[in-house]
Amino acid sequence: MKKYDYLVVGAGLFGAIFAHEAVKKGKKVLVIDKRPNVAGNIYTEEIEGINVHKYGAHIFHTNNKEVWNYITQFTEFNRYTNSPVANYNGELYSLPFNMYTFNKMWGVVTPEQAEAKIKSQREAAGITEPKNLEEQAISLVGTDIYEKLIKGYTQKQWGRPCTELPSFIIKRLPVRLTFDNNYFNALYQGIPMGGYTKLIENILENIEVRLNCDYLENRDELDKLADKIVYTGAIDAYFGFKYGALEYRSVRFETEVLDKPNFQGNAVVNYTDAETPFTRIIEHKFFEFGTQPKTVISREYSSEWKLGDEPYYPVNDEKNGELYAKYKALADEEKQVIFGGRLGEYKYYDMDKVIESALSLCKKQL
């Protein structure tokens, strides 16, 4: 008899939810994580009384009532609404693209005028079937907005020209002929009060967790502990990069405490010109309507990923898709191991989709 029914590798959102549900069903579970803390990439650290999003801004949003009801049982969420601002060489524009943006850009005041402007720019560019991100963006919002608010930002984010990026990346871009500043078209939205780390700690309450424990380095002894393993780490690393490494984009953060109550007046400001080296500045206190005397900001620099860096965004192009399919075939042969989450499935997951995926696995397994 093994000591545990499940060994969960990774104390992020996916692993924590699976562990919670398994324990509820009477299973014995051990959760391990190679980091010194739980919560994975949604980890928040308290600095000057402010919950700082250590691995970039995480804003919870969903249209799935079941997911919302599930996650809000563990902590209360505030009413934060994501309304980023775009800074192009000192000119400020509303994101998502809406009537405020179109008015500032072109002086138009009615939805009809905005629509006509976009249509004329689309026609002038001669785009009928968008073949790449640049053409998709121009067909959605016209050339002026593409040049000022999309092109530089996207090239910094992905490290390649917009003409080399697939059009689907920008299909989710919110474009509205209204004055609605809410970036997400989601029924439920907010940030856990007290930060995401507290949320994950609540989900993992009364569950055995070992931190600073690297599964891949101690695999032989850890495998002996449990009947089944739920693995949320990188799928290619699990197989020793047998077919080569899957590609990601990474992000580097420069975080500083400022001795002033307010730096930019908003949680998120995107720098959309090509010359500014960072993509955006996050002012963490405004995720929770903070009134602290100081403020904490993080500049985000998008970077090419290399082995050893923190993987953030999977590069879901054709080449990586084919490589992932090879690893997925190997994963399907592992009878005792279940692969899940962003790294285990090599997917760009929003948090609500991670929860959906974890709950769906619980239904199958438990």
Side-chain angles (χ1 to χ4, degrees), residues 59-78:
I59 297 139
F60 193 87
H61 57 99
T62 189
N63 280 310
N64 184 328
K65 190 172 188 184
E66 188 191 343
V67 163
W68 179 250
N69 288 343
Y70 181 83
I71 202 66
T72 52
Q73 71 181 307
F74 299 106
T75 192
E76 201 175 336
F77 278 63
N78 68 21

Side-chain angles (χ1 to χ4, degrees), residues 72-179:
T72 52
Q73 71 181 307
F74 299 106
T75 192
E76 201 175 336
F77 278 63
N78 68 21
R79 57 162 187 86
Y80 177 80
T81 300
N82 191 28
S83 309
V85 171
N87 182 324
Y88 176 80
N89 292 324
E91 294 172 24
L92 299 181
Y93 293 91
S94 188
L95 275 176
F97 303 133
N98 62 16
M99 286 304 297
Y100 290 116
T101 323
F102 307 140
N103 172 263
K104 176 94 187 252
M105 188 69 73
W106 299 314
V108 298
V109 290
T110 67
E112 267 173 316
Q113 292 170 334
E115 226 167 359
K117 194 79 182 165
I118 292 168
K119 184 168 179 263
S120 75
Q121 294 197 353
R122 184 192 306 131
E123 284 169 0
I127 296 160
T128 47
E129 265 307 301
K131 288 184 284 298
N132 54 45
L133 189 146
E134 178 172 291
E135 293 183 359
Q136 179 70 47
I138 292 170
S139 75
L140 280 172
V141 288
T143 316
D144 294 340
I145 288 176
Y146 166 69
E147 289 290 340
K148 280 191 171 185
L149 305 184
I150 297 173
K151 187 179 180 179
Y153 183 89
T154 306
Q155 291 184 179
K156 288 189 287 191
Q157 181 81 359
W158 292 98
R160 33 184 79 66
C162 292
T163 48
E164 289 175 23
L165 290 164
S167 58
F168 75 80
I169 291 180
I170 210 159
K171 279 200 169 130
R172 304 197 307 174
L173 189 75
V175 180
R176 305 207 180 98
L177 296 167
T178 64
F179 290 91

Side-chain angles (χ1 to χ4, degrees), residues 35 41 53-58 153 156-158 248-255 277-280 282 298-306 308-314 342 348:
R35 288 181 180 164
N41 274 20
H53 295 218
K54 285 288 280 191
Y55 299 94
H58 284 84
Y153 183 89
K156 288 189 287 191
Q157 181 81 359
W158 292 98
Y248 293 86
R249 290 294 290 169
S250 198
V251 188
R252 180 172 65 79
F253 300 95
E254 274 178 11
T255 297
F278 43 85
T279 52
R280 59 183 184 172
I282 304 299
S298 298
R299 293 180 186 82
E300 290 188 15
Y301 297 82
S302 186
S303 60
E304 208 55 66
W305 176 84
K306 57 187 187 310
D309 290 348
E310 194 56 52
Y312 283 86
Y313 306 106
R342 187 177 56 94
Y348 178 69

